């Protein structure tokens, strides 16, 4: 298996999706509107993780293109739960890729306590050998969900997927606390957005007056 050749289209997809999603955020900023996107990160799964996951899930290496759906991964992080569904609606309306599957782990949280909205897409990428359809995963989550998932991911890594049960139960409680935080924030969403709109407007007018560099 030549990993460099295999991963090249995935790198391309991740870069293209990152530009497109960051572009959405920028457009909201230009219009001084609340952006449903707080930030975007993306990665191509490291080779060692691809091999480990293939072993764990009994995926043959010549089947990973179809069966491992998160080799190309883009993550969209939002302030509010509502924003997640705004993005989902926006992504469904796009015609530059096809949606293969949607998994709502917010309505149906995972056993671990994990919450996020996942969208599996088929994205056409231009290669020197013609067009190639590449599977990618878009994870959409709030800052609170991201905070929880990042910490849980680190613990999973430390304990190689076997987190001791007393830590697991604390994690489940933390997941509920994170969700509570999202619900509390939802109640003052309008206030927060109004404040941010004013601040963005202020930043824009100051930029146009051409003073500082920020
Ligand atoms: P680990 O082991 O994965 O936890 P930039 O263009 O500057 O925004 P940059 O610096 O290339 O992007 O990295 P980015 O996109 O900020 O990614 C930082 C971390 O987030 C990496 O973790 C990625 O693995 C993780 N990540 C980002 N997007 C995704 C995604 O969609 N899916 C998954 N599973 N992970 C994602 P580390 O530091 O490599 O560590
Ligand atoms: P990485 O790159 O280390 O994050 P499944 O069959 O449901 O177990 P599948 O088919 O890979 O798994 O899809 P799923 O469950 O939709 O999740 C894929 C990705 O979602 C994972 O990638 C994680 O990034 C994230 N995820 C899912 N469940 C959890 C969870 O309980 N905790 C955390 N922190 N993240 C989760 P990988 O493959 O784990 O790799």
């Amino acid at each position: 298996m030549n990993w460099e050749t295999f991963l090249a289209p995935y790198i391309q997809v991740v870069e293209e999706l990152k530009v497109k999603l960051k572009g959405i955020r920028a457009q909201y900023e230009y219009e001084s509107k609340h952006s449903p996107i707080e930030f975007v990160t993306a990665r191509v799964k490291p080779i060692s993780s691809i091999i480990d996951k293939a072993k764990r899930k009994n995926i043959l290496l010549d089947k990973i293109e179809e069966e491992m759906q998160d080799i190309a991964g883009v993550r969209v992080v939002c302030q509010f739960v509502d924003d997640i569904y705004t993005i989902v609606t926006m992504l469904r309306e796009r015609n530059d890729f096809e949606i293969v599957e949607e998994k709502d782990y917010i309505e149906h949280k995972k056993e671990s306590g994990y919450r996020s909205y996942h969208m599996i897409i088929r994205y056409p990428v231009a290669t020197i050998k013609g067009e190639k359809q590449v599977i990618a995963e878009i994870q959409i989550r709030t800052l609170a969900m991201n905070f929880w998932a990042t910490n849980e991911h680190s613990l999973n890594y430390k304990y190689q997927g076997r987190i001791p049960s007393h830590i697991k139960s604390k994690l489940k409680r933390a997941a509920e606390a994170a969700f509570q935080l999202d619900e509390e924030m939802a109640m003052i969403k309008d206030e927060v957005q109004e404040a941010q709109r004013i601040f963005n407007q202020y930043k824009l007018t100051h930029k146009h007056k051409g003073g500082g560099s920020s």
Side-chain angles (χ1 to χ4, degrees), residues 86-139:
T86 304
I87 295 160
V88 168
T89 307
M90 214 185 284
L91 294 180
R92 283 185 189 143
E93 280 166 8
R94 290 188 75 113
N95 48 24
D96 49 347
F97 52 76
E98 185 194 325
I99 298 169
V100 176
E101 197 183 348
E102 293 184 33
K103 304 183 209 175
D104 188 344
Y105 296 130
I106 300 165
E107 282 285 327
H108 310 280
K109 66 166 187 220
K110 291 189 100 171
E111 173 58 26
S112 59
Y114 178 78
R115 283 186 170 94
S116 264
Y117 197 100
H118 289 192
M119 211 176 239
I120 310 295
I121 64 166
R122 191 174 285 119
Y123 187 97
V125 62
T127 76
I128 49 173
K129 292 188 193 115
E131 191 175 277
K132 187 176 165 59
Q133 299 286 338
V134 176
I135 301 281
E137 180 190 73
I138 306 177
Q139 299 180 340

Side-chain angles (χ1 to χ4, degrees), residues 157-170:
Y157 187 78
K158 175 177 173 190
Y159 293 105
Q160 296 176 330
R162 288 184 293 272
I163 301 177
S165 59
H166 70 284
I167 300 180
K168 254 192 196 159
S169 58
K170 286 205 172 76

Side-chain angles (χ1 to χ4, degrees), residues 18 22 40-43 73-75 139 153:
K18 210 154 66 170
K22 286 185 176 178
V40 179
T41 63
R43 62 97 181 92
V74 183
R75 186 171 289 157
Q139 299 180 340
H153 189 269

Side-chain angles (χ1 to χ4, degrees), residues 1 59-66:
M1 176 103 163
I59 302 173
L60 296 172
L61 278 189
D62 59 357
K63 286 271 191 295
I64 53 177
E65 259 181 61
E66 302 97 72

